[in-house]
């Protein structure tokens, strides 16, 4: 916990709380929404620092924004980058208590 | 759940109530299971939210709910296990702080209804005062009707107005040479000798002829309504348009037709019914009063202080409101303050009689059937706008307390009927005046005070009385109403018409409550 950098807060935006994310929590995995330009090593460092856990792996994905129309005009919602973080056995992240 | 008695004093009871932590937790769990089936949350399909998440989000609210439930159950258990009949809603106090977890401690205090062991309702002997509806009263009523329906006819051109005649005038009033508000008008009908105008005004119209111009000098009385005019001398320039003499009103079929009836007999029939209803109401009022007096003198038991307090507060509020309207609020207030003890006594009497009546009703097996209840609700609903009626009916069906309030007067009436049925009743014919005097003399109010209808009788425990009175009033008000409808323009001097309309309006409203005017008032 000691070495929390202000940058870490910029990397991890918020936890994703959905049915799917609660399902993967059985495998010691936690889902976060992260900054669009965050890299896996950055995410690992940030999660380890913020939650005080040992991160075994980070998988990321970019969910492309949906194309919507408003008054006939097409526009795109912003893309979202999500990270599925696998933490070491025994370590727990309680996503419902926000940081 | 642990219950222990703390106080048992007279009608007061207090219990300590401990709800153990496990019981609360169990309730929270069951509630949680119920809630999580229906709860919605973004990111989850309805009902698929994990229980621990629900608990985190709504745990505090759920716990509060569970605590409330547990408390209600506890209070019910206190009441049922001790066989209490609470007089009022039990009062619940939290001992210390409510912990987030752990046992919750409460104190439940309440007053119970007294048990009335011996209800002495046998060998009741009552005297019923009956007023026979006689022809004299009938004729008097007809004469009154004729009087109010009196019409006028134009007088011969040379006729000089005398007392009893009606003069149609244009007038322009000035004080110190300046016109004042409301001092000018055209075509006002003045009945000389009716005393509706400023003293002296009518007298000076005596002798006026049609198309005559006069100037009248009068002085406004000191207590005149408009302060800027009171006590001032005024000058009225009058132009007499016409003089009318009263026409003889003959009581015959023609007269009855003026009211939209077929014949004089039909009119008499209606009047007789009204008279009978009025007299019947009066004699019942008297009988009921007698009955209550007898009951009150036969029974004496402790009554719950809280009920007396509530009753007393109600009386007191009415009195204070009345005192505030008196000319001298401070004096009136002092007067009722001095009689405080008396009012307290009245409150005790009312509560005692109320309890007694309900006890008697229970023992006598007096019940209010569902059909009667529905009729009551229907009556109540009829007072609202058609659109609202459904809601009103629903409200009473769902709200037990409100329904009880509606039920109480009927129930009481039925109990009184039951008692009257049991009692030995001797009838005695009296005149109307005697009956009215008898009712007035038996007022339970302390001597020497003359307040409104609320203190003349047990309004709470004798709601039938005001209702009857209102009915009687309505019957009276109906006469002018019918008349105003029958011949609105042709007759009735301006002022009188206004007064009549004021009379007729409440009657009309009472008769046709679904009228838009009332409706807007209600819904507004």
């Amino acid at each position: 916990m000691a070495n929390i950098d202000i940058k870490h807060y910029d990397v991890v935006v918020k936890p994703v709380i959905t049915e799917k994310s609660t399902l993967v929590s059985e495998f010691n995995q936690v889902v976060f929404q992260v900054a669009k330009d965050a890299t896996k090593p950055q995410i690992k460092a940030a999660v380890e620092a913020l939650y005080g856990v040992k991160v075994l792996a980070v998988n990321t994905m970019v969910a492309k924004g949906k194309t919507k129309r408003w008054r006939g005009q097409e526009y795109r919602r912003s893309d979202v980058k999500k990270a599925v973080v696998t933490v070491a056995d025994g370590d727990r992240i309680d996503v419902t208590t926000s940081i | 759940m642990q219950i222990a008695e703390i106080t048992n004093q007279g009608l007061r009871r207090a219990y300590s109530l401990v709800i153990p932590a496990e019981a609360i937790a169990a309730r929270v769990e069951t509630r949680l299971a119920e809630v999580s089936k229906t709860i919605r949350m973004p990111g989850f399909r309805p009902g698929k939210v994990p229980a621990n998440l629900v608990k985190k989000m709504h745990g505090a609210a759920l716990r509060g709910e569970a605590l409330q439930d547990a408390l209600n159950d506890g209070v019910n258990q206190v009441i049922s296990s001790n066989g209490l009949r609470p007089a009022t809603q039990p009062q619940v106090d939290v001992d210390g702080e409510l912990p987030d977890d752990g046992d919750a401690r409460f104190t439940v205090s309440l007053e119970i209804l007294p048990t009335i062991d011996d209800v002495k309702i046998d060998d009741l002997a009552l005297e019923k005062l009956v007023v026979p509806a006689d022809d004299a009263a009938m004729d008097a009523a007809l004469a009154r009707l004729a009087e109010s329906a009196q019409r006028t006819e134009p007088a011969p051109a040379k006729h000089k107005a005398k007392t009893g005649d009606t003069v149609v005038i244009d007038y322009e009033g000035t004080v110190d040479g300046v016109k004042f508000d409301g001092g000018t008008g055209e075509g006002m009908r003045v009945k000389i000798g009716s005393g509706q105008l400023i003293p002296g005004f009518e007298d000076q119209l005596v002798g006026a002829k049609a198309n005559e111009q006069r100037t009248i000098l009068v002085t406004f009385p000191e207590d005149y309504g408009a302060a800027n005019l009171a006590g001032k001398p005024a000058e009225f320039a009058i132009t007499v348009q016409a003089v009318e003499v009263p026409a003889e009103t003959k009581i015959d079929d023609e007269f009855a037709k003026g009211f939209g009836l077929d014949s004089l007999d039909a009119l008499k029939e209606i009047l007789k019914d009204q008279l009978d209803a009025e007299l019947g109401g009066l004699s019942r009022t008297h009988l009921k009063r007698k009955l209550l007096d007898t009951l009150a003198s036969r029974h004496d038991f402790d009554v719950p202080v809280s009920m007396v307090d509530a009753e007393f507060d109600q009386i007191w509020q009415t009195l204070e409101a009345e005192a505030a309207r008196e000319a001298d609020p401070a004096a009136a207030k002092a007067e009722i303050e001095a009689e405080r003890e008396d009012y307290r006594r009245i409150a005790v009497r009312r509560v005692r009689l109320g309890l007694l009546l309900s006890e008697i009703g229970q023992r006598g097996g007096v019940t209010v059937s569902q059909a009667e209840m529905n009729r009551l609700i229907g009556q109540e609903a009829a007072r609202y706008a058609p659109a609202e009626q459904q809601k009103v009916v629903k409200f009473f069906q769902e709200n037990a307390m409100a329904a009880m309030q509606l039920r109480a007067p009927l129930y009481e009436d039925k109990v009184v009927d039951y008692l009257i049925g049991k009692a030995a009743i001797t009838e005695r014919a009296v005149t109307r005046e005697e009956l009215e005097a008898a009712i007035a003399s038996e007022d339970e109010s302390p001597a020497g005070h003359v307040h409104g209808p609320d203190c003349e009788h047990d309004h709470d425990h004798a709601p039938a009385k005001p209702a009857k009175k209102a009915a009687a009033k309505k019957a009276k008000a109906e006469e002018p109403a019918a008349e105003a409808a029958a011949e609105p323009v042709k007759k009735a001097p301006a002022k009188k018409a206004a007064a009549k309309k004021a009379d007729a309006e409440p009657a009309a409203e009472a008769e046709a409550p679904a009228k838009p005017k009332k409706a807007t008032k209600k819904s507004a």
Side-chain angles (χ1 to χ4, degrees):
Chain A
M1 282 285 218
N3 43 2
I4 295 178
D5 195 327
I6 197 79
K7 269 185 284 178
H8 291 146
Y9 290 107
D10 290 336
V11 172
V12 178
V13 178
K14 63 181 179 191
V16 174
I17 304 173
T18 61
E19 238 178 288
K20 204 172 190 175
S21 73
T22 32
L23 278 183
V24 296
S25 67
E26 286 198 20
F27 309 105
N28 279 347
Q29 288 179 323
V30 193
V31 185
F32 294 100
Q33 186 185 329
V34 295
K36 192 81 192 340
D37 54 359
T39 61
K40 287 181 180 181
Q42 281 171 352
I43 295 166
K44 180 176 178 177
V47 171
E48 282 185 341
L50 291 175
Y51 295 97
V53 290
K54 173 96 179 88
V55 172
L56 302 180
V58 176
N59 303 79
T60 61
M61 71 191 96
V62 175
K64 299 293 183 190
K66 290 179 180 177
T67 309
K68 295 277 179 181
R69 280 166 190 274
W70 193 69
R71 294 195 174 168
Q73 289 283 330
E74 286 201 356
Y75 70 99
R76 261 185 71 184
R77 288 186 172 176
S78 343
D79 298 347
V80 170
K81 188 169 199 168
K82 291 193 263 187
V84 182
V85 178
T86 312
V87 297
D89 257 352
D91 285 347
R92 269 183 50 82
I93 297 178
D94 194 352
V95 287
T96 52
T97 48
S98 57
I99 39 172
Chain B
M1 207 167 309
Q2 298 157 28
I3 299 167
E5 193 175 72
I6 311 174
T7 22
N8 181 348
Q9 210 174 33
L11 296 170
R12 276 189 192 287
R13 300 279 186 281
Y15 297 88
S16 74
L17 184 61
V18 180
I19 304 173
E22 304 88 67
I24 302 173
R27 274 171 193 278
V28 171
E29 284 310 317
T30 45
R31 192 78 190 106
L32 194 65
E34 277 169 37
V35 174
S36 55
K37 286 207 183 68
T38 54
I39 214 155
R40 292 177 150 273
M41 215 167 159
F44 297 90
R45 286 169 292 160
K48 296 286 183 186
V49 186
N52 59 354
L53 217 57
V54 176
K55 198 168 180 176
K56 245 193 183 105
M57 304 286 290
H58 304 290
L62 284 176
R63 194 183 146 82
E65 228 172 84
L67 212 53
Q68 190 64 47
D69 279 356
L71 186 56
N72 284 346
D73 279 3
V75 172
N76 284 341
Q77 202 179 323
V78 166
I79 290 169
S80 62
S81 64
N82 292 294
L84 303 178
R85 295 193 305 158
T88 48
Q89 198 70 20
Q91 194 190 343
V92 178
D93 295 313
V94 180
D95 289 358
E97 298 250 314
L98 262 189
D100 282 340
D101 46 13
D103 301 353
R105 292 164 191 282
F106 299 98
T107 310
V108 181
S109 47
L110 70 163
E111 274 195 287
I112 56 166
L113 290 175
T115 36
I116 306 166
D117 292 327
D118 44 345
V119 180
K120 308 176 197 97
I121 53 169
D122 301 320
D123 63 282
L124 281 173
L126 296 171
E127 188 175 50
K128 185 175 186 181
L129 302 183
V130 185
V131 183
D134 52 2
D135 288 346
M138 185 73 200
D139 290 344
L142 263 181
R144 261 207 312 277
L145 202 58
E147 173 105 359
S148 62
Q150 196 177 56
R151 59 189 82 211
T152 56
E153 57 191 21
K158 292 282 169 63
H159 182 83
K160 287 187 178 178
K162 57 182 196 299
T163 306
D165 289 354
T166 301
V167 189
V168 184
I169 54 167
D170 297 344
Y171 60 100
E172 192 178 292
T174 51
V175 170
D176 301 335
V178 184
K179 286 191 201 172
F180 56 91
D181 275 352
T184 312
E186 284 184 0
M188 187 169 75
R189 305 175 69 96
V190 180
K191 189 174 180 193
I192 298 177
S194 62
Q196 284 169 341
L197 300 178
I198 316 166
F201 194 102
E202 289 167 12
D203 299 343
Q204 295 181 52
L205 285 174
V206 173
K209 281 182 286 191
N211 299 324
E212 189 189 326
Q213 300 208 342
R214 308 192 148 193
T215 305
I216 289 179
L217 294 170
V218 288
T219 307
F220 281 103
E222 291 291 343
D223 55 353
Y224 194 68
N228 56 337
L229 298 176
K232 292 238 179 91
E235 209 178 291
F236 283 90
I238 308 271
T239 310
V240 180
Q241 286 186 349
V243 177
E244 292 175 358
V245 292
E248 199 68 17
T249 312
K250 270 185 282 182
I251 299 172
D252 53 13
D253 287 358
E254 208 54 42
F255 174 65
K257 276 181 191 146
F259 295 99
L261 294 171
D262 292 339
S263 66
L264 187 59
D265 287 341
L267 179 63
K268 277 188 174 165
E269 194 70 21
I270 291 178
L271 278 179
K272 187 168 159 45
D273 283 352
Q274 279 181 8
L275 221 57
D276 280 349
E278 213 177 310
L279 293 174
L282 278 177
S283 85
R284 192 185 149 89
T285 307
H286 177 258
L287 189 61
K288 188 167 172 180
R289 181 80 51 75
K290 273 271 197 233
L291 175 68
L292 294 181
D293 280 347
T294 317
L295 288 178
S297 62
R298 283 188 188 195
H299 297 86
D300 187 28
F301 51 85
D302 285 343
V303 290
V305 180
S306 52
M307 280 175 85
V308 174
D309 283 345
E311 183 68 35
F312 178 72
D313 283 348
Q314 207 182 343
I315 301 178
W316 200 244
Q317 268 170 19
T318 331
L319 286 178
E320 276 190 335
E322 262 170 42
R325 279 200 301 273
E326 303 257 325
D328 184 358
K333 194 127 187 216
E335 191 190 333
I336 60 169
E337 199 69 46
E339 287 163 0
R340 204 183 172 100
E341 274 313 302
D342 284 329
Y343 291 118
R344 181 109 205 145
R345 205 168 39 75
I346 293 172
V348 171
R349 181 192 133 107
R350 285 183 186 174
V351 170
R352 184 170 294 151
L353 279 175
L355 291 173
L356 191 59
L357 279 185
S358 72
E359 178 74 22
I360 292 170
Q362 258 169 27
R363 294 197 186 187
V366 178
T367 49
V368 173
S369 69
Q370 191 57 41
E372 283 169 317
M373 202 57 223
N374 287 344
R375 196 169 44 80
L376 275 181
I377 294 176
Q379 276 173 3
E380 186 69 16
R383 291 177 40 209
Y384 292 83
E388 307 249 308
Q389 286 187 4
Q390 277 293 321
K391 267 190 241 164
V392 175
V393 170
K394 212 169 154 201
F395 172 75
F396 280 116
Q397 274 163 359
E398 284 169 4
N399 198 325
M401 279 304 277
M404 278 300 284
Q405 277 185 355
L406 212 55
R407 205 185 77 115
L410 178 66
Y411 186 72
E412 183 190 294
D413 237 23
K414 290 188 93 171
V415 174
V416 170
D417 280 340
Y418 165 77
L419 284 176
I420 290 176
K422 277 192 89 125
I425 301 210
T426 47
E427 294 206 351
R428 180 158 66 94
V430 291
T431 64
R432 189 193 172 109
E433 287 70 32
E434 281 169 2
L435 178 56
E436 275 170 354
I439 293 175
S441 68
E442 276 157 24
D443 269 1
E444 54 172 353
S445 13
H449 108 102
V450 276
H451 284 298
D454 269 325
C455 12
E456 305 183 359
H457 44 63
D458 316 3
H459 60 137
D460 222 11
H461 305 297
K465 284 178 219 164
K468 288 238 169 71
K469 281 204 169 160
K473 259 183 218 152
K474 186 178 143 191
K476 266 183 210 144
E478 244 164 2
E479 297 170 12
E483 175 190 311
E487 32 204 327
V489 197
K490 211 173 150 203
K491 34 154 269 53
K495 279 210 170 169
K496 238 181 157 185
K500 261 176 207 161
K501 265 189 202 127
D503 263 355
E505 215 151 44
E509 274 190 10
E511 278 168 82
K515 226 173 139 189
K517 189 177 169 196
K518 180 98 173 180
T520 47
K521 232 188 259 166
K522 280 279 172 194
S523 53

